Amino acid sequence: MIQPTDNRIEAPEPTPWSAGLAVAAFVAALTAAAVYSFADALAQVNWLLAIAINVVAAVGATPTLWRWRGIRVVRWIIAGAGAGVLLGWLVTVIGNV
């Protein structure tokens, strides 16, 4: 027996901008502090070593993060982590000039 189907189209859930931006900002702050601390400590040993290890870490993490970008909550964490890495690098460069 054929069951009747309901052809209603449900609206997608609204994007949680306030919570998402708060999570992204928190993750960005933590990531920036970690990247700056690690890069600054390595720069005291050798600045080329600091650059090389930071680039290797970023390039190594990028494929995994790119695959996870479609997950609803994780996309905010990834956005914060990306902004934090860039901010950490910027502060490291400005701080060591």
Side-chain angles (χ1 to χ4, degrees):
M1 176 174 207
I2 299 175
Q3 297 291 330
T5 60
D6 188 6
N7 291 332
R8 286 184 291 165
I9 298 174
E10 293 184 24
E13 294 182 21
T15 303
W17 285 99
S18 58
L21 290 175
V23 167
F26 184 70
V27 171
L30 288 177
T31 305
V35 167
Y36 171 74
S37 299
F38 188 63
D40 190 49
L42 282 174
Q44 291 178 5
V45 175
N46 186 346
W47 64 273
L48 286 174
L49 179 66
I51 292 171
I53 289 180
N54 271 290
V55 168
V56 166
V59 169
T62 300
T64 300
L65 295 177
W66 189 256
R67 279 190 302 250
W68 290 350
R69 77 188 186 283
I71 302 172
R72 291 182 190 261
V73 175
V74 178
R75 71 179 70 169
W76 295 105
I77 296 169
I78 293 169
V85 167
L86 294 175
L87 183 62
W89 286 349
L90 181 67
V91 170
T92 301
V93 168
I94 291 172
N96 288 322
V97 170

